[in-house]
Amino acid sequence: MREERIRTASRPAARSVARRRLLICVVAIAAAVGTVALRSSCAFALVGPGPGEPFGGDDSGCVPSRSELKRCSDTAARVYSRLESSLARCHIKQASTRYSQAGRGQPKVFDEETCESAAAARFDATLANLETGGHCGASALLATAPNAGAALPDSLDARGADLYCDATSGVLLDAAGDDDGYVPASRSALTCTKRIANALGKLAASAMRCHQQAAADGFTLSHPVFDEEGCEQQAAAVYDTNTQRLLTKGSCPSCLDGAAIAALRDDLLAGLDTVNAALYPCPDPVLHPGTPLLDRPTLMALGVQLPISGDENRDARVTLRYREFGSPGWKEAPALLRVKPETIPAGEGMTVPEQFAGSIFDLRPATTYELELHAVDADGPVDQILTLTATTRAVPTDPATPHAVAVSNASELAAALAAAGPGDVITLADGLYTGAFVMEADGTAADPIVIRGASRDGTVLDGNDCLCNVLEVYGSYVHVENLTLRNAQRALRFQTGGAVGNVVRRVHTIDTRLGLGTRDTQFDFYFCDNVLEGRLVWPQVYTDDGGLEAGDDGILVQGHGQVVCHNQLVGFGDALKNGLVGARSLDFYGNEVLSAYDNGIELDISEGNVRAWRNRFTNTFATISFQPIYGGPAYALRNVVVNVADEQMKFHGLAEGAGPSGVIACNNTFVSPAIALQVNTYAASHNVEVFNNLFVGPAVLAGTRTVDWNAPMVGGLFDANGYYPDGGFRFYLPPAGPLSYANFAALQAAGLETNGSLLTEPVFDNGLAAPASYTQTLAPLDVTLSAASNAVDAGVVLPGITTGYQGAAPDLGALERGCPLPIFGVRPPGIDETNEPVGCE
């Protein structure tokens, strides 16, 4: 689908200067999916070079093609002009010091080379900060500007021969070094050279500001065209006025006559025109793929990143296919997402490199796969195959060399935990174990430590209402299974950053404010088939008390490679939650959330290849949260969401930061009592794909709108979704702003949702309708489509997402009619990732 998408983002296309025009009138604006079309019969005026085009004239380089590249170039240009001035001051200081030394016999106290090195280091540090910040994109600036900076000292050293040209003193300026020229013979000659050098520094700063203004006006297609040559001429005139005073006074040596001073001026301006190509490089439209990388593998998914440079016009594509190792047949995965680092707020501490990234779903554990990335870019032309081999993780198992340890009371349990070592299987007899318990030892990958109850509901660890963890674990490779934890502030927490391979399986938690929690940063945990009961009772929601209970978390993970699957949760603020800034490779699948005071799932503050698929959420305030995503992709696929009090998908930012960047939300089903779809925030979302979803509201809307997406969306793809009922639609598409349509027909007439559907009744097989109010407490419901629904076969094909669809085309929503129902919540004994039915295949 990415090959056919149209963008909401307004990035001017590169066209020839002769064809570029500027509207000189007020225009009517009509929004289309991914674009803003301007319709009017208006007068046009020719304008100068635009984004991505050469400056022209005697100025090398190009107008930046994107705002973040312009910021980088402007910063580099500003510090380059400072470098020029700083190096000139080094020469001035050197000449003054040598004059004093030669004329008065004073010892030399100034190291000109050290002065130059310090100035160059400040320039290099600024470039390093630009690179570290990750917001210069794939620009050539970071490759070319350092070369320009390194060459500047040499050019100034050579210019010194023309400035310090009077050989009357007979004393070389730097006999043992690399600086040409002579020490001035008199105080007046020294003053002349100093003032000319200062004038050159001011000229360099003024000329560089002319270049920056040319870039700014070209980027915005300002009219009339900025006269960069006229700007330089004004700066040169100031230089001429100041230097003419020196000639009038007669204080300069004869070699620094009017022609020589003008030659210094012209040489400086010519050099700045040449170096402009390094500071404002022309865009490289050709994709240059790097070496593909794998995120941490999970049991049922693999994530890949392809570092890149070039492709500044962003028309390259990278598809992905895979097969079991040695298998003859390939399968298509979702195409990789072009990550856009410039959309990530600089103040939030995240640096994401230029890349394509994406995931493969519904794999089998402990299986080796061949991956094939196909990168295509017509600008090269580029048509390149890159390959990887990856193995998914295995389902956690018992120790290879087990050692049985039986306990039957709290003191025996505490002793067994204190003495535990790799391979121990600590089995708890049914009964009540009161207190708080600690495990500090590590198991190993082959021989984990296992803490297992005789029966889940018969083996009970009771915290006796403590403000503590009923059980806390400090080691790695510790499995906690088949028991109940209850009556405490927190049920179970893994306390050590860097811990690996811990497991919580078939555990029941009761009456806690945290069910299962981790610490920063941990790896490859497996939290599956647990039942967690918090203290909050639906319909208590976030807005009732201003979020006082928002800290009640069901399952909180803080790491990479974490798997959270087939749990059943009720009574928490956020049921499922990522807590690590920049987390990658997280899987949430098969979970059953019966209520959530705030979010059903928070993928917030994660970076990329985080995945929520085939979960079911009932009775939630704001269900799937992306607040924000740092580049992505973050996937929400085939989730069932019924009875949403507020926002179905939370596309928010943090404080004043931007909203999510890199969200893919496809084939989800949303049923809501007030409005089918709403997002309300000032934060702009970027690089979003929303396809094949069902947005079902009540037959009679609470207001007038079926959809109210009152948040800016830049680079968003919204198409092939189904809506019920018919009503008003509002989308906020910059630069047009909020655009409202009276009904679905008006929406499509304007060019939005051209492949979308207005749903007719019946939608669902069981007659499901949106509840009258979210305050009802609903049981989990089957959202299989009715055979008569026009949502059947109404979707578009999405490789790796709609695989195995029945009929002429994929259905809209989470459940493909005719396919087996997925398992939501705890799986029956004997079912795990090795044999769980998935999808339609």
Side-chain angles (χ1 to χ4, degrees):
M1 290 304 299
R2 291 195 187 90
E3 290 79 2
E4 302 172 0
R5 70 187 184 180
I6 312 171
R7 304 177 184 271
T8 56
S10 56
R11 187 171 75 246
R15 296 173 283 180
S16 68
V17 174
R19 293 180 57 208
R20 186 176 295 283
R21 283 162 171 72
L22 177 68
L23 287 166
I24 312 298
C25 62
V26 177
V27 297
I29 301 177
V33 177
T35 192
V36 174
L38 302 179
R39 298 178 180 175
S40 180
S41 57
C42 303
F44 290 91
L46 290 174
V47 299
E53 295 177 343
F55 285 108
D58 58 6
D59 297 317
S60 60
C62 291
V63 176
S65 58
R66 299 196 304 278
S67 59
E68 74 278 3
L69 301 184
K70 179 180 175 299
R71 287 193 298 270
C72 286
S73 288
D74 287 346
T75 300
R78 185 168 59 251
V79 297
Y80 185 87
S81 67
R82 290 175 184 169
L83 174 61
E84 179 106 25
S85 297
S86 296
L87 293 174
R89 286 194 295 271
C90 292
H91 284 208
I92 293 171
K93 182 68 173 175
Q94 179 191 37
S96 297
T97 302
R98 290 283 289 130
Y99 177 81
S100 297
Q101 180 187 26
R104 301 178 183 178
Q106 296 179 353
K108 184 177 181 181
V109 294
F110 180 71
D111 185 345
E112 190 268 347
E113 292 301 323
T114 299
C115 180
E116 284 190 351
S117 297
R122 290 192 292 271
F123 176 72
D124 293 341
T126 299
L127 296 183
N129 288 336
L130 288 174
E131 184 171 19
T132 301
H135 298 288
C136 287
S139 170
L141 180 145
L142 297 176
T144 57
N147 296 329
L152 181 55
D154 293 338
S155 67
L156 287 180
D157 290 343
R159 192 187 302 162
D162 297 323
L163 182 59
Y164 300 97
C165 55
D166 183 11
T168 304
S169 71
V171 180
L172 291 172
L173 191 67
D174 187 13
D178 55 6
D179 299 310
D180 296 329
Y182 292 87
V183 175
S186 66
R187 171 64 65 180
S188 60
L190 177 66
T191 299
C192 171
T193 56
K194 177 180 179 180
R195 290 181 177 176
I196 293 173
N198 282 330
L200 287 169
K202 293 177 181 178
L203 175 60
S206 297
M208 193 58 71
R209 285 195 292 271
C210 294
H211 290 192
Q212 290 175 276
Q213 191 61 51
D217 282 23
F219 184 76
T220 58
L221 294 176
S222 293
H223 183 76
V225 178
F226 177 70
D227 184 0
E228 193 273 341
E229 290 300 318
C231 180
E232 283 192 357
Q233 288 171 10
Q234 289 180 5
V238 172
Y239 170 86
D240 291 343
T241 298
N242 291 332
T243 55
Q244 182 61 40
R245 293 170 184 160
L246 297 173
L247 294 174
T248 301
K249 285 183 176 181
S251 59
C252 296
S254 59
C255 62
L256 280 177
D257 57 12
I261 292 173
L264 286 168
R265 174 200 66 203
D266 294 342
D267 178 64
L268 171 67
L269 292 176
L272 291 178
D273 288 341
T274 300
V275 82
N276 206 47
L279 303 175
Y280 290 91
C282 290
D284 179 2
V286 179
L287 177 72
H288 304 288
T291 301
L293 309 171
L294 287 168
D295 283 318
R296 299 184 77 88
T298 59
L299 283 73
M300 297 189 74
L302 292 170
V304 63
Q305 302 175 66
L306 179 63
I308 62 165
S309 60
D311 187 37
E312 291 191 30
N313 59 359
R314 292 185 169 171
D315 63 349
R317 297 291 179 266
V318 180
T319 55
L320 175 63
R321 64 178 188 169
Y322 66 100
R323 64 183 178 186
E324 287 191 28
F325 189 83
S327 172
W330 291 92
K331 296 180 180 180
E332 294 297 319
L336 300 190
L337 178 77
R338 177 64 147 87
V339 175
K340 298 180 178 178
E342 75 278 3
T343 63
I344 300 166
E348 295 182 17
M350 285 298 301
T351 301
V352 179
E354 290 279 346
Q355 62 179 278
F356 283 85
S359 294
I360 307 171
F361 295 83
D362 289 340
L363 304 176
R364 290 301 184 185
T367 303
T368 299
Y369 292 90
E370 298 174 86
L371 281 58
E372 185 178 275
L373 290 72
H374 186 190
V376 177
D377 184 358
D379 296 310
V382 175
D383 191 341
Q384 188 172 349
I385 300 292
L386 303 103
T387 60
L388 284 170
T389 300
T391 302
T392 51
R393 293 207 321 255
V395 176
T397 60
D398 277 359
T401 55
H403 172 242
V405 179
V407 300
S408 59
N409 57 53
S411 60
E412 290 178 355
L413 174 58
L417 296 176
D424 281 0
V425 180
I426 303 170
T427 302
L428 287 68
D430 279 350
L432 182 63
Y433 299 73
T434 301
F437 301 92
V438 178
M439 160 63 77
E440 295 186 346
D442 291 294
T444 67
D447 286 309
I449 299 170
V450 180
I451 306 168
R452 178 180 294 149
S455 66
R456 190 193 72 178
D457 296 318
T459 305
V460 180
L461 277 62
D462 192 308
N464 198 26
D465 296 324
C466 68
L467 298 177
C468 67
N469 305 305
V470 178
L471 175 62
E472 57 187 37
V473 175
Y474 289 86
S476 294
Y477 299 109
V478 176
H479 296 191
V480 181
E481 302 178 353
N482 208 44
L483 48 78
T484 293
L485 307 170
R486 72 184 190 193
N487 297 339
Q489 187 80 350
R490 298 168 295 275
L492 172 56
R493 191 144 200 184
F494 293 89
Q495 299 283 44
T496 304
V500 181
N502 288 318
V503 173
V504 184
R505 182 164 41 191
R506 300 192 182 276
V507 164
H508 189 183
T509 73
I510 303 171
D511 190 24
T512 65
R513 295 195 63 189
L514 172 69
L516 309 177
T518 66
R519 294 287 191 184
D520 182 32
T521 299
Q522 300 171 332
F523 304 93
D524 302 342
F525 285 15
Y526 181 78
F527 292 170
C528 294
D529 298 293
N530 304 290
V531 176
L532 296 92
E533 300 179 55
R535 296 175 174 176
L536 306 178
V537 179
W538 188 263
Q540 183 182 6
V541 296
Y542 188 96
T543 50
D544 291 340
D545 53 18
L548 291 177
E549 312 296 338
D552 286 23
D553 296 327
I555 298 178
L556 167 66
V557 292
Q558 296 165 273
H560 309 286
Q562 315 287 44
V563 174
V564 179
C565 71
H566 288 283
N567 302 286
Q568 178 179 296
L569 303 99
V570 66
F572 293 97
D574 298 320
L576 307 168
K577 184 174 184 177
N578 167 56
L580 177 68
V581 176
R584 298 193 65 89
S585 187
L586 303 182
D587 284 356
F588 298 87
Y589 55 85
N591 296 287
E592 179 86 87
V593 175
L594 303 179
S595 75
Y597 158 99
D598 191 8
N599 303 135
I601 182 171
E602 280 193 5
L603 299 178
D604 302 4
I605 61 174
S606 59
E607 180 179 314
N609 283 327
V610 294
R611 303 166 283 250
W613 82 101
R614 280 200 303 273
N615 302 286
R616 183 162 60 183
F617 303 93
T618 311
N619 311 314
T620 54
F621 179 69
T623 312
I624 305 177
S625 180
F626 310 99
Q627 187 181 0
I629 303 298
Y630 294 123
Y635 294 93
L637 308 177
R638 296 200 177 278
N639 298 289
V640 174
V641 181
V642 177
N643 198 23
V644 183
D646 187 49
E647 293 177 322
Q648 294 77 9
M649 295 186 288
K650 191 177 179 184
F651 281 68
H652 286 218
L654 298 176
E656 299 299 318
S661 177
V663 172
I664 299 175
C666 300
N667 283 97
N668 301 288
T669 294
F670 299 93
V671 181
S672 310
I675 184 171
L677 175 62
Q678 67 174 342
V679 174
N680 186 24
T681 177
Y682 59 83
S685 298
H686 298 78
N687 208 21
V688 171
E689 301 183 6
V690 182
F691 287 96
N692 286 1
N693 300 283
L694 283 179
F695 299 109
V696 178
V700 179
L701 295 167
T704 61
R705 294 191 177 100
T706 300
V707 172
D708 193 2
W709 194 287
N710 193 27
M713 179 176 289
V714 182
L717 313 173
F718 242 92
D719 200 12
N721 300 290
Y723 302 91
Y724 178 87
D726 200 4
F729 288 78
R730 179 165 67 173
F731 289 94
Y732 191 149
L733 302 179
L739 302 170
S740 296
Y741 306 94
N743 50 42
F744 189 69
L747 181 78
Q748 288 194 313
L752 275 82
E753 282 287 4
T754 54
N755 295 299
S757 302
L758 182 64
L759 302 176
T760 58
E761 295 185 289
V763 178
F764 301 110
D765 220 8
N766 59 7
L768 170 65
S773 168
Y774 79 84
T775 58
Q776 298 184 42
T777 303
L778 299 186
L781 295 168
D782 183 359
V783 294
T784 297
L785 293 173
S786 167
S789 173
N790 63 331
V792 173
D793 294 352
V796 293
V797 175
L798 303 174
I801 297 173
T802 58
T803 304
Y805 65 85
Q806 311 294 296
D811 297 344
L812 300 182
L815 304 183
E816 178 79 13
R817 184 174 174 83
C819 292
L821 290 177
I823 300 172
F824 297 113
V826 178
R827 293 168 290 197
I831 300 295
D832 60 23
E833 286 80 2
T834 62
N835 56 7
E836 176 183 351
V838 293
C840 293
E841 291 189 305

